[in-house]
Amino acid sequence: MKKQWTAAASLMFLMFAIPIRTAQGQAQSPPAGIVLTGDVTGAQNKTHFEIPFNVPAGTHRISVDFHYTGAEQHATLDLGIADPERFRGESGGNKSHFTIGENDATPSYLPGAIPAGTWHLLIAVPNMRAHVVSHYRAEIRFNDRAEDASFAEQPLAKGTRWYRGDLHMHSGHSDGRCPSQSGAMVACPVFVNAQTAAARGLDFIAIADHNADSQYDAERELQPYFDRVLLIPAREITTFHGHFNIFGVTQFVDWRVTQGGLDLNSVLRDVAAKGGIASVNHALSPDGEICMGCKWDPPPDEDISLFTAVEVINGGPFMLSSAKFWDAQLREGHRLAAVGGSDSHNAMNPPGPKGSIGWPTTVVEADELSVSAILGGIRRGRTFVDLTASHDKVVDFEAESGGVQARMGETLHAAAGAEIRVRIHTVGCAGSLVHLLLDGEEVAAAPPMTVDSAGAPVEAKVTVGAGRHWLRVEVRDAKGGLLLMSSPIYVNFAD
Ligand SMILES: [Zn+2]
Ligand SMILES: [Zn+2]
């Protein structure tokens, strides 16, 4: 017992602050944290000791990094942790980092409420030579926002390019079902969603179970195994007034919107405060007893500017377009990126546009494959939807007026009556027709243009009146079938 406290007595508690990057990429107030250091001597060989530390009220996540010296002399310290009430996990010598949140934790550890008070690191000493002194250092962070937003500790890939993924699917944590070993339809494990996405070459997926946050613990476990498919934390907030996806949030969000009670805008502000973004799902879905609450039909005071994106194509059973709803919001001056998702409810559905993972994909320009970069690309409107689930098709465009240029996702300022020159780039679309839409409509000045066999950019000129407008692009096949749908360039929108 005395030896046990020898180490504890030499502890040093240091408050520290680590600059973190939020999903917006902006520096925010750093998470509170402490550093615990101490020495372990040979006299403590084959003993256990505990390192106490205080967890402040209001903590929803604890992250620990633990390192020690002397490994070259076979010094060994095993790591575990207990909260004020119970054992929360033990990873021995197999992990030097772990995180415990309310809904997810690193394997070896138990997610759940984070009670304030005295927690203990549980240290075992399987081996410490007689004359060795090992110096340990435990960095403990509270409410690390990067870990709230991502199951991946590092970007899965580096480099600016178009990343392709599916932003809407369900697992057995809500109503996703798939065939069991014997063919019965059962609640589908998250693993199957990730496995299918990997087999289809997707860069990212968002498993958006209805109001559920139990899937995150499984995703925390799966992410290191799926080191080419980014698992973006998501949920389909399912209200009586419509559905919307939230991305980049693992904390609880109350969704129980009722008249006179919780209002929709408060739910969306809660999502934003927790670092997430939201997209309106299948806004033009049938409603009523066919699909209860599926159509977007919010209370009159709902503020659409709290959304970042609109799911313009929902895979579902029949590739539902909500472009008319989207255009109506753009007409009101709201900036909303185009996203899409399969809404797959069976991760084993065969490839094809029938609610299968990847039909459609959302394609996002980002400088790396991480949650913050993908959500950043959606925030910037650097997105298009690929209804064909291709691995190569691209549409991007820029507009120029009076010597000023804007890319897809940006704002162009143009004088009334000014000509806007638009240049549209495609990849993998030879023989397809490029439709430039002004304010959601085709215009006589810019009829559909055929992409030549070399895939050269196409150009068009349109003239706009005073005020706000938007330009967007659809790529269609020779029969008029929609292939790609771009995000807008906003003309004269408020900055
Ligand atoms: Zn839905
Ligand atoms: Zn859904």
Side-chain angles (χ1 to χ4, degrees):
M1 207 49 198
K2 193 159 183 287
K3 279 171 192 159
Q4 188 172 328
W5 293 108
T6 308
S10 67
L11 284 178
M12 290 178 65
F13 292 79
L14 304 167
M15 295 304 291
F16 72 101
I18 303 169
I20 55 161
R21 287 168 68 84
T22 66
Q24 295 97 321
Q26 297 157 343
Q28 285 237 339
S29 57
I34 50 174
V35 176
L36 310 170
T37 61
D39 293 334
V40 181
T41 68
Q44 289 169 273
N45 191 28
K46 301 197 190 310
T47 64
H48 294 268
F49 67 92
E50 300 183 353
I51 309 172
F53 63 97
N54 189 56
V55 173
T59 303
H60 63 265
R61 178 179 296 283
I62 291 180
S63 303
V64 176
D65 286 285
F66 183 76
H67 298 282
Y68 58 91
T69 62
E72 71 287 351
Q73 297 181 78
H74 298 274
T76 305
L77 299 179
D78 284 353
L79 178 64
I81 197 166
D83 72 20
E85 292 145 26
R86 64 173 181 147
F87 173 69
R88 294 295 286 264
E90 152 84 21
S91 56
N94 61 67
K95 293 176 188 76
S96 58
H97 168 80
F98 66 83
T99 183
I100 299 178
E102 290 170 334
N103 299 318
D104 63 270
T106 305
S108 305
Y109 294 90
L110 295 168
I114 307 293
T118 305
W119 287 52
H120 291 86
L121 292 181
L122 311 178
I123 309 295
V125 191
N127 192 57
M128 194 64 60
R129 290 180 183 169
H131 301 293
V132 169
V133 176
S134 175
H135 182 71
Y136 67 79
R137 177 183 173 88
E139 291 188 5
I140 301 171
R141 296 186 304 283
F142 305 122
N143 299 346
D144 185 322
R145 205 153 182 179
E147 294 213 291
D148 282 343
S150 174
F151 308 118
E153 289 170 25
Q154 303 292 333
L156 271 51
K158 292 277 196 181
T160 301
R161 67 173 175 88
W162 295 102
Y163 292 95
R164 295 168 191 274
D166 185 339
L167 288 176
H168 188 168
M169 64 181 69
H170 297 271
S171 78
H173 288 264
S174 61
D175 51 354
R177 298 173 80 75
C178 60
S180 69
Q181 285 184 300
S182 63
M185 291 301 283
V186 298
C188 201
V190 169
F191 182 88
V192 180
N193 293 66
Q195 184 85 315
T196 300
R200 293 179 186 172
L202 297 183
D203 297 311
F204 60 86
I205 57 170
I207 298 169
D209 281 312
H210 297 282
N211 297 332
D213 40 27
S214 56
Q215 67 275 24
Y216 302 143
D217 197 42
E219 292 183 86
R220 178 82 58 189
E221 179 182 13
L222 291 179
Q223 184 67 85
Y225 177 78
F226 288 99
D227 56 1
R228 292 179 187 156
V229 182
L230 182 71
L231 305 177
I232 297 176
R235 223 168 306 172
E236 184 168 18
I237 299 291
T238 305
T239 76
F240 305 139
H241 310 285
H243 300 182
F244 58 93
N245 273 2
I246 63 171
F247 304 106
V249 182
T250 51
Q251 286 176 263
F252 175 73
V253 171
D254 196 353
W255 73 92
R256 296 166 297 172
V257 174
T258 47
Q259 207 170 11
L262 181 66
D263 72 287
L264 207 47
N265 294 337
S266 299
V267 178
L268 289 158
R269 287 193 189 101
D270 187 25
V271 170
K274 288 171 177 162
I277 63 170
S279 79
V280 181
N281 290 353
H282 48 69
L284 298 183
S285 165
D287 201 11
E289 291 182 346
I290 301 169
C291 189
M292 287 165 276
C294 293
K295 187 179 176 187
W296 187 246
D297 186 20
D301 64 347
E302 194 273 329
D303 181 0
I304 201 84
S305 71
L306 295 170
F307 284 94
T308 300
V310 168
E311 185 186 68
V312 294
I313 302 292
N314 174 277
F318 49 82
M319 288 282 187
L320 174 78
S321 169
S322 291
K324 283 197 165 67
F325 165 84
W326 182 39
D327 282 327
Q329 311 314 312
L330 296 167
R331 188 167 290 115
E332 296 300 315
H334 302 294
R335 292 162 192 271
L336 294 157
V339 298
S342 68
D343 207 355
S344 169
H345 281 71
N346 179 347
M348 290 190 194
N349 273 349
K354 298 179 282 292
S356 285
I357 289 175
W359 273 266
T361 51
T362 300
V363 189
V364 182
E365 189 187 59
D367 60 5
E368 62 181 27
L369 184 53
S370 66
V371 173
S372 61
I374 296 296
L375 300 191
I378 297 171
R379 283 188 164 101
R380 286 193 297 278
R382 299 293 298 156
T383 68
F384 64 90
V385 178
D386 182 346
L387 284 79
T388 73
S390 83
H391 290 166
D392 66 329
K393 284 184 171 49
V394 172
V395 62
D396 192 9
F397 71 121
E398 69 238 3
E400 182 271 326
S401 186
V404 183
Q405 217 181 43
R407 299 197 303 167
M408 179 175 74
E410 296 178 341
T411 302
L412 180 75
H413 293 285
E419 186 178 78
I420 299 177
R421 294 194 303 138
V422 183
R423 190 174 166 87
I424 301 157
H425 309 263
T426 59
V427 175
C429 295
S432 304
L433 289 162
V434 173
H435 297 247
L436 175 66
L437 307 184
L438 172 64
D439 301 335
E441 305 284 345
E442 306 225 8
V443 288
M449 297 159 276
T450 303
V451 180
D452 68 17
S453 57
V458 296
E459 292 190 354
K461 290 175 187 169
V462 295
T463 304
V464 295
R468 239 176 11 229
H469 304 276
W470 70 101
L471 295 160
R472 61 183 185 85
V473 176
E474 294 178 352
V475 180
R476 293 178 177 269
D477 63 22
K479 292 180 180 163
L482 186 59
L483 307 176
L484 307 176
M485 206 165 181
S486 79
S487 272
I489 289 177
Y490 306 97
V491 181
N492 298 332
F493 274 50
D495 288 322

